Amino acid sequence: AGARLNLRWLRHNLWLLASSIFEASFAAAAVGFVALKLGVAVDVAVPLALILMASAPALVLRVVSETNASGQVTERLITLSALNTLYAVVALQLMQAGLRLNEPQTWTQAVGPVAFSYFGSIALAALIGEGINFVARRFDLRHDNGVLLMAGCVMLALILAKTLHLSTLLVPLLAGIWLRNRSE
């Protein structure tokens, strides 16, 4: 999903960015409100609302692929889906950081791992994105072997993220965004 997010196009279309922020915020607020009205505990309702802010980019990409959809509406749908997923992942990471940092006496111990997780995820994503870009310039990734190579790169990103205690959700998403916006 990240590889379909064109930041240059988004920078020129600020209304799409604003509408995505509104849509994601409204979805999270609506889910949180309904969950609380149904008697779900706050510590469950908040993560549930943040998770349901995302709009399943894998499903959106599958439907687009199967229907051979193309055009402005399709690109906007994919962009909104990728942005909602990015918002949800970052919001969940911030919530986890907030849980670690909610006790003032533990801030010095908690800031290091939280900062390492964020900045390490960004650095690993950039490294994976540049690695895929390097490989893509040398091989034709439109064939079956290219799909296997891309799947291997995603698996490598997940293994490295898990080994280094980084975000396994944020690394592949940011790697795709990096690849899309730093290469052809």
Side-chain angles (χ1 to χ4, degrees):
R4 298 293 299 262
L5 186 59
N6 187 344
L7 297 179
R8 289 180 209 102
W9 181 65
L10 197 58
R11 186 174 53 221
H12 296 294
N13 197 347
L14 293 176
W15 283 109
L16 183 62
L17 181 62
S19 67
S20 77
I21 292 170
F22 175 75
E23 174 198 8
S25 301
F26 182 76
V31 168
F33 178 77
V34 169
L36 290 173
K37 284 295 182 186
L38 292 173
V40 176
V42 174
D43 58 340
V44 175
V46 171
L48 179 67
L50 294 177
I51 290 169
L52 292 178
M53 181 189 313
S55 56
L59 180 64
V60 170
L61 291 172
R62 180 70 180 200
V63 169
V64 166
S65 173
E66 286 185 6
T67 60
N68 291 323
S70 63
Q72 283 290 320
V73 174
T74 301
E75 289 304 315
R76 290 171 191 265
L77 174 66
I78 292 169
T79 299
L80 288 172
S81 177
L83 285 172
N84 288 353
T85 302
L86 182 63
Y87 300 151
V89 170
V90 169
L92 284 169
Q93 293 291 318
L94 288 174
M95 186 191 79
Q96 287 177 340
L99 291 175
R100 290 185 191 132
L101 298 174
N102 71 356
E103 304 245 349
Q105 63 270 24
T106 63
W107 280 27
T108 55
Q109 295 171 345
V111 167
V114 169
F116 176 76
S117 177
Y118 273 112
F119 295 116
S121 295
I122 293 168
L124 181 59
L127 183 68
I128 295 292
E130 283 299 318
I132 294 171
N133 185 25
F134 177 78
V135 170
R137 283 184 272 150
R138 283 153 182 76
F139 299 103
D140 186 11
L141 298 180
R142 291 174 287 188
H143 300 295
D144 291 338
N145 294 337
V147 172
L148 290 175
L149 183 62
M150 293 299 286
C153 288
V154 170
M155 294 303 293
L156 177 65
L158 293 175
I159 290 168
L160 288 173
K162 186 70 173 168
T163 302
L164 297 172
H165 303 289
L166 303 176
S167 172
T168 55
L169 297 173
L170 199 55
V171 168
L173 186 62
L174 290 178
I177 293 171
W178 182 276
L179 181 63
R180 166 68 179 194
N181 293 282
R182 299 279 295 176
S183 70
E184 294 299 320

